[in-house]
Amino acid sequence: MPDSVSKSAAPVADYDSFAAAYSASNESNLFNAYYARPEMIRLAGDVAGLEILDAGCGSGPLMEALRSKDAVVSGFDLSPAMVELARQRLGEDADVRVADLGAPLSYPDDAFDLVVASLSLHYVKDWAAALAELRRVLKPGGRLIGSIIHPTVYAIVYPEADYFALTQYSEDYDFGEGTVWMTYWHRPLQDVINTFIDAGFGIKTVTEPPPAANTPAELLPTADGRSFICFLFFELEARLP
């Protein structure tokens, strides 16, 4: 959980300033290593030979996992420091770029079989534009697999807030190198679903999974390892024009 929250316009996180600490945390923490990443890999399924784009790749752990399953993976992130860490992980010849998920992308039309967007869309205000770009670079019938902060988390943590309003909010975290602010965009579940549909995607699967079976017992939020409200995962298909 965050240390505190602000509904004011706190600065958007400068990932360059804490990229190494954030990346190190993601290697072994509950939410990334034993929850988000395993479910993204499970939803991706058999990716051998597929052209995949990781939209918001961070330091590249999901790219690395998909590449190990014989996929051809490209990725981008807004943070140059994260991109440099991804290149160190994947090799200098890896196609990893600095780019903004909320802006036009440099990839050609119909370039990818699969786009993965793990915990990146909730940083973007204008989903319509971002999803239009991801739909553009996907082949017809291609898939978009993503994860976001579960919309109900906002209602639970901030019961006095307007759940139905598009809201920017900031929370502070400690990654071992001082306090950093992370800024997100909350939108209600109906807006999540309808924006997907309006962007030309069909919904194949929505999941609220339990942690991975190999999660260390000391990290489990419940003794029996059952599902808990945290992230929402979705598998979408780019509908034919």
Side-chain angles (χ1 to χ4, degrees), residues 157-207:
V157 177
Y158 313 118
E160 302 304 317
D162 183 357
Y163 166 81
F164 293 100
L166 176 66
T167 305
Q168 186 181 40
Y169 67 105
S170 298
E171 297 173 337
D172 64 322
Y173 298 82
D174 183 1
F175 286 109
E177 296 185 358
T179 299
V180 299
W181 284 90
M182 313 277 284
T183 299
Y184 311 107
W185 285 95
H186 160 78
R187 68 201 73 225
L189 181 59
Q190 64 181 4
D191 290 358
V192 170
I193 293 172
N194 289 329
T195 309
F196 288 154
I197 294 170
D198 291 344
F201 289 99
I203 299 172
K204 296 188 66 175
T205 306
V206 176
T207 64

Side-chain angles (χ1 to χ4, degrees), residues 70-176:
D70 298 322
V72 179
V73 188
S74 302
F76 69 87
D77 198 271
L78 183 60
S79 164
M82 284 292 191
V83 168
E84 178 57 30
L85 289 172
R87 289 199 180 108
Q88 292 174 19
R89 180 194 298 268
L90 300 165
E92 286 298 322
D93 59 342
D95 181 8
V96 190
R97 311 179 189 181
V98 176
D100 186 350
L101 181 55
L105 301 175
S106 60
Y107 306 98
D109 295 355
D110 304 335
F112 299 99
D113 303 291
L114 171 65
V115 171
V116 292
S118 183
L119 305 178
S120 54
L121 276 168
H122 50 224
Y123 293 104
V124 178
K125 180 179 182 180
D126 183 2
W127 272 25
L131 290 172
E133 275 296 276
L134 298 183
R135 173 67 183 81
R136 179 186 66 77
V137 303
L138 269 173
K139 298 174 183 177
R143 294 181 298 153
L144 168 61
I145 295 173
S147 54
I148 59 172
I149 298 171
H150 200 301
T152 59
V153 169
Y154 186 77
I156 293 169
V157 177
Y158 313 118
E160 302 304 317
D162 183 357
Y163 166 81
F164 293 100
L166 176 66
T167 305
Q168 186 181 40
Y169 67 105
S170 298
E171 297 173 337
D172 64 322
Y173 298 82
D174 183 1
F175 286 109

Side-chain angles (χ1 to χ4, degrees), residues 21 33 53 68 120 204 225 228:
L53 175 65
S68 74
S120 54
K204 296 188 66 175
F228 61 103

